Amino acid sequence: QVQLVESGGGLVQPGGSLRLSCAASGFTFSTYAMSWYRQAPGKERELVARIASTGTTTNYADSVKGRFTISRDNAKNTVYLQMNSLKPEDTAVYYCKATKVDRGHSVAYWGQGTQVTVSS
């Protein structure tokens, strides 16, 4: 059974930091690219950061560059999102996603999300 379980969300003041974790099970984690998405109320889900299966390549949304860092530990089947200098506009539900193209077919798994609220 495939599972992606996010944790680490919560309430933080502007300028603060949070570290999100996403623990994976039920599939070969090290062969999947991993991403973090977020969705704020009334807005579409957007890509925040992505990391290749080997961890050698990362990509970020312009809005989080220089503040957020995505990383992964393939030995622990876990992907992380370190969020620094948080702003109220970072408030959203954060989701992790696993993706892989297998013989021309795209496979994707989503977690259930964790709430991040940035407010004073």
Side-chain angles (χ1 to χ4, degrees), residues 39-114:
Q39 187 167 21
K43 295 188 176 182
E44 293 188 355
R45 193 172 296 189
E46 63 174 354
L47 176 65
V48 175
R50 180 185 182 276
I51 187 167
S53 60
T54 57
T56 54
T57 304
T58 58
N59 304 96
Y60 297 91
D62 288 343
S63 59
V64 306
K65 278 181 182 176
R67 300 188 298 121
F68 290 11
T69 302
I70 188 171
S71 61
R72 66 190 295 161
D73 186 338
N74 285 349
K76 295 183 178 180
N77 288 356
T78 302
V79 62
Y80 306 97
L81 186 67
Q82 178 67 44
M83 305 186 295
N84 299 329
S85 302
L86 282 160
K87 304 175 181 180
E89 51 264 43
D90 294 319
T91 295
V93 178
Y94 283 71
Y95 301 88
C96 68
K97 179 184 181 183
T99 55
K100 178 180 180 179
V101 177
D102 185 8
R103 287 170 286 186
H105 296 282
S106 180
V107 178
Y109 305 119
W110 288 92
Q112 83 290 346
T114 186

Side-chain angles (χ1 to χ4, degrees), residues 17-50:
S17 298
L18 282 175
R19 189 194 196 201
L20 305 183
S21 299
C22 173
S25 60
F27 62 99
T28 307
F29 178 79
S30 62
T31 65
Y32 282 69
M34 297 298 298
S35 304
W36 286 96
Y37 283 73
R38 67 185 181 187
Q39 187 167 21
K43 295 188 176 182
E44 293 188 355
R45 193 172 296 189
E46 63 174 354
L47 176 65
V48 175
R50 180 185 182 276

